[in-house]
Amino acid sequence: VSFTGNLILPFGLTTIEEYAFSNTTFKGNLILPSSLTNIERFAFTSCHFTGNLNIPSEVIKIGEGAFMFCTQFNGNLSLPSGLTTIEREAFAYCISFTGDLILPSSLTTLGGRAFYECSGFTGDLKILSGITIINEGTFAKCKNLHGSLTLPLGLKRIGTGAFEGCSGLFGNLDIPSSVTDIGSYAFVFCNGFSGDLNIPSGVSTIGVNAFYG
């Protein structure tokens, strides 16, 4: 199905179930209602919306692949302060978002490859407190992020290839004191960092090629 305008969803809607709009083409914006609380897996996969994506304040969960391959969003991504879960590949290959990527402090679950190859972000990457594990490939190939990286206090593990190819991040790289494990290829080809690399004394494992390139 191919629509030429916006998708405006009604107030009162609380859940968008899996595959609800998958592979449906829109040439306009996606406007989500303030009543929404859950976006289930693959709900909007491969929908070609444009503009900003504002996730309403009551949303607590964004399911696996919910916005994967939504390649035409060309504005900012705004995540709400009460969001707790972003599942695997939720925003993978959303290549045209711009601006900063800021994850709220309420977030406790961040799935692997959640932002894989979101290469359009152009600002800072801020992961606020709440996340204890950054899974494999979560931010890999977000190559146009051009700012600082803020990692959360309480972080314990940085997974394999978590920041692979994030070559635009610069300044110091401060690993929080709570981290014990830095996975293989975690920061491979992150060649924009130019300040200090601070690895805390509690780190017991640094994987293969973790900081290569």
Side-chain angles (χ1 to χ4, degrees), residues 27-68:
K27 299 294 180 64
N29 297 329
L30 171 60
I31 301 173
L32 299 171
S34 60
S35 55
L36 191 64
T37 59
N38 291 283
I39 302 171
E40 298 295 344
R41 59 197 296 266
F42 307 112
F44 295 100
T45 296
S46 298
C47 291
H48 299 299
F49 299 107
T50 60
N52 299 322
L53 175 56
N54 296 311
I55 305 296
S57 61
E58 297 301 313
V59 171
I60 57 173
K61 173 191 170 186
I62 300 173
E64 178 184 356
F67 294 95
M68 186 167 61

Side-chain angles (χ1 to χ4, degrees), residues 40-201:
E40 298 295 344
R41 59 197 296 266
F42 307 112
F44 295 100
T45 296
S46 298
C47 291
H48 299 299
F49 299 107
T50 60
N52 299 322
L53 175 56
N54 296 311
I55 305 296
S57 61
E58 297 301 313
V59 171
I60 57 173
K61 173 191 170 186
I62 300 173
E64 178 184 356
F67 294 95
M68 186 167 61
F69 294 114
C70 289
T71 59
Q72 303 302 311
F73 281 119
N74 55 7
N76 295 322
L77 171 62
S78 177
L79 299 172
S81 60
L83 183 66
T84 62
T85 301
I86 298 176
E87 292 187 347
R88 181 176 178 84
E89 295 185 326
F91 295 97
Y93 306 101
C94 291
I95 60 175
S96 298
F97 282 123
T98 61
D100 298 333
L101 175 52
I102 302 174
L103 304 185
S105 59
S106 57
L107 196 65
T108 56
T109 300
L110 181 59
R113 294 167 57 99
F115 293 93
Y116 183 83
E117 209 168 317
C118 289
S119 55
F121 287 114
T122 54
D124 296 331
L125 173 54
K126 297 181 180 181
I127 309 166
L128 304 181
S129 59
I131 290 296
T132 58
I133 298 173
I134 298 175
N135 283 299
E136 83 285 352
T138 299
F139 302 100
K141 300 187 179 181
C142 292
K143 61 183 180 180
N144 288 318
L145 283 166
H146 190 72
S148 60
L149 171 61
T150 302
L151 295 173
L153 299 175
L155 182 66
K156 295 180 180 177
R157 184 176 188 277
I158 301 172
T160 300
F163 297 94
E164 175 188 349
C166 291
S167 55
L169 294 171
F170 59 79
N172 296 332
L173 176 52
D174 294 318
I175 308 296
S177 61
S178 52
V179 170
T180 60
D181 183 13
I182 300 173
S184 297
Y185 311 102
F187 294 94
V188 68
F189 300 125
C190 292
N191 50 23
F193 288 115
S194 57
D196 296 330
L197 170 58
N198 297 310
I199 298 176
S201 59

